[in-house]
Amino acid sequence: MTEIIEISQLTKKYGTTDVLKGIDLTIHQGEVFGFVGHNGSGKSTFIHTITGITNKNSGFFKIKDIPDAQIDKSKKIIGVMPDVSNLYEHMRGVHFLQYMGKLSGDRRSKRDYITLMKEVGLEGDEKKRIKSYSFGMKKKICIAQALLGNPDLIILDEPTSGLDPESAIKIRNIVKKYQKLGKTILLTSHNLDEIDKVSDRVGILSNGVIKKLGTPRQLKEETGVGINISVRTKPILQRNDIQMLSKKLEMVVNFVENKKEYTLLQVASEEEILTLSRELIESGVQLYELKVEQCSLEEVFMNTK
Ligand SMILES: Nc1ncnc2c1ncn2[C@@H]1O[C@H](COP(=O)(O)OP(=O)(O)OP(=O)(O)O)[C@@H](O)[C@H]1O
Ligand SMILES: [Mg+2]
């Protein structure tokens, strides 16, 4: 696997506050990496540090093999969403993108800039001045800016916060589309459901370090709250049946409750679901339905100290 970002023991202080206390992280080329953490945990600081907007205090990082000492070179391969407050308010949307495009060596035609605006959900707003844009519209033009110049690495800091649900879905689709084109996307969001849907791997930043790292599925399994499953069987399974089954299979199957014709159970891993369903069928129970309700990333997040 090729790494596009390699970070070792990265630290960043603001005044006397240690924001990043030693970040170790590698991001693979072509993946969507979701970065989450509480307000003020340092996600934006991290992005500012690895994109050269602010200076690190110590540690090292490389972007596509370019060491941080030559960060100006790596800027050419990074598309980063600016802060909405850094937009040129007096410019018209499409002119702003053309202007920024020229600066980043983007060679698309005017018509293609209009297509890009349509892609992010700004169809019909091309000629309006940015100062007349709503917050969500400004956010969208910032996302469009990050896509200029055909960057290999696209960094989006809270691209969907403040967007209506339809626009947020549009942005999620853009992320998927650019990943298919071979791009790597690093994004932050407080919407954990969205992070779950879009990310190949997730990192949880807490107290200045990456506390949890893995695929959404790994993180959910590791959290150890177990996998909730509901089964619809005939006869309906009772607590007693589950206790006996548990003993026979030598694994922990927790009986949670009976809800109408469903029995809610909890197991530790996916493999156990297989073992359990096989055993049920072999023992003559008629299994009509088995639904897996994995714990959510929200639960993982709430269990990260
Ligand atoms: N330019 C700055 N000068 C001084 N302190 C800063 C600066 N930028 C960020 N900080 C501090 O660094 C810490 C991390 O802030 P940061 O904006 O990186 O958090 P975040 O994880 O992006 O939060 P949010 O989810 O609210 O966007 C906070 O304590 C913040 O006050
Ligand atoms: Mg932030």
Side-chain angles (χ1 to χ4, degrees), residues 43-44 157-158 188:
K43 301 176 298 299
S44 300
D157 196 0
E158 294 191 39
T188 73

Side-chain angles (χ1 to χ4, degrees), residues 97-113:
L97 283 185
Q98 279 177 302
Y99 176 74
M100 298 313 288
K102 223 176 236 171
L103 291 181
S104 56
D106 197 285
R107 292 181 194 283
R108 72 187 85 200
S109 65
K110 182 169 181 188
R111 186 190 290 177
D112 290 339
Y113 279 104

Side-chain angles (χ1 to χ4, degrees), residues 119 171-183 185:
E119 193 178 355
I171 301 308
R172 213 156 65 213
N173 291 338
I174 290 180
V175 168
K176 288 286 181 201
K177 176 182 156 187
Y178 279 79
Q179 181 182 31
K180 279 207 186 95
L181 293 172
K183 312 295 183 189
I185 297 114

Side-chain angles (χ1 to χ4, degrees), residues 14 17 19 37-46 157-158 190 205:
Y14 277 122
T17 314
V19 182
H38 289 113
N39 292 129
S41 58
K43 301 176 298 299
S44 300
T45 302
F46 171 78
D157 196 0
E158 294 191 39
H190 291 294
L205 183 62

Side-chain angles (χ1 to χ4, degrees), residues 99-274:
Y99 176 74
M100 298 313 288
K102 223 176 236 171
L103 291 181
S104 56
D106 197 285
R107 292 181 194 283
R108 72 187 85 200
S109 65
K110 182 169 181 188
R111 186 190 290 177
D112 290 339
Y113 279 104
I114 292 174
T115 310
L116 176 63
M117 292 194 74
K118 187 174 170 188
E119 193 178 355
V120 296
L122 286 172
E123 192 175 13
D125 302 318
E126 300 86 355
K127 298 272 170 63
K128 290 184 190 155
R129 288 190 199 278
I130 293 178
K131 66 177 170 213
S132 73
Y133 276 14
S134 71
F135 177 77
M137 289 158 77
K138 286 180 181 168
K139 208 85 200 218
K140 291 175 188 174
I141 205 158
C142 290
I143 296 166
Q145 189 184 326
L147 303 174
L148 295 174
N150 196 26
D152 288 329
L153 173 62
I154 300 165
I155 301 182
L156 306 173
D157 196 0
E158 294 191 39
T160 58
S161 70
L163 297 196
D164 62 71
E166 197 183 335
S167 302
I169 292 170
K170 211 168 216 168
I171 301 308
R172 213 156 65 213
N173 291 338
I174 290 180
V175 168
K176 288 286 181 201
K177 176 182 156 187
Y178 279 79
Q179 181 182 31
K180 279 207 186 95
L181 293 172
K183 312 295 183 189
T184 307
I185 297 114
L186 165 64
L187 84 161
T188 73
S189 175
H190 291 294
N191 180 341
L192 297 177
D193 193 38
E194 172 179 280
I195 287 284
D196 192 352
K197 285 198 178 102
V198 83
S199 314
D200 297 306
R201 285 192 310 145
V202 175
I204 301 182
L205 183 62
S206 173
N207 289 320
V209 294
I210 298 203
K211 277 280 160 65
K212 287 191 179 161
L213 179 68
T215 65
R217 175 178 290 201
Q218 280 168 346
L219 295 185
K220 292 176 206 170
E221 284 185 8
E222 269 171 29
T223 298
V225 287
I227 303 175
N228 298 318
I229 53 177
S230 61
V231 291
R232 186 160 63 85
T233 57
K234 262 189 194 156
I236 294 175
L237 297 169
Q238 304 299 328
R239 185 181 294 271
N240 237 357
D241 304 320
I242 297 303
Q243 280 169 349
M244 276 160 51
L245 212 76
S246 206
K247 220 178 243 172
K248 183 172 177 201
L249 297 173
E250 294 179 350
M251 63 187 209
V252 181
V253 184
N254 288 322
F255 175 92
V256 182
E257 59 177 335
N258 277 121
K259 247 187 183 171
K260 293 189 179 158
E261 71 266 47
Y262 288 94
T263 311
L264 305 188
L265 305 169
Q266 206 175 52
V267 292
S269 70
E270 285 199 319
E271 287 64 39
E272 294 192 349
I273 300 175
L274 280 180

Side-chain angles (χ1 to χ4, degrees), residues 8-44:
S8 166
Q9 284 301 302
L10 183 69
T11 72
K12 172 72 192 170
K13 265 182 206 257
Y14 277 122
T16 52
T17 314
D18 289 312
V19 182
L20 306 177
K21 298 181 189 169
I23 303 281
D24 288 311
L25 179 67
T26 50
I27 295 185
H28 316 311
Q29 196 152 344
E31 78 175 335
V32 176
F33 188 87
F35 206 42
V36 302
H38 289 113
N39 292 129
S41 58
K43 301 176 298 299
S44 300

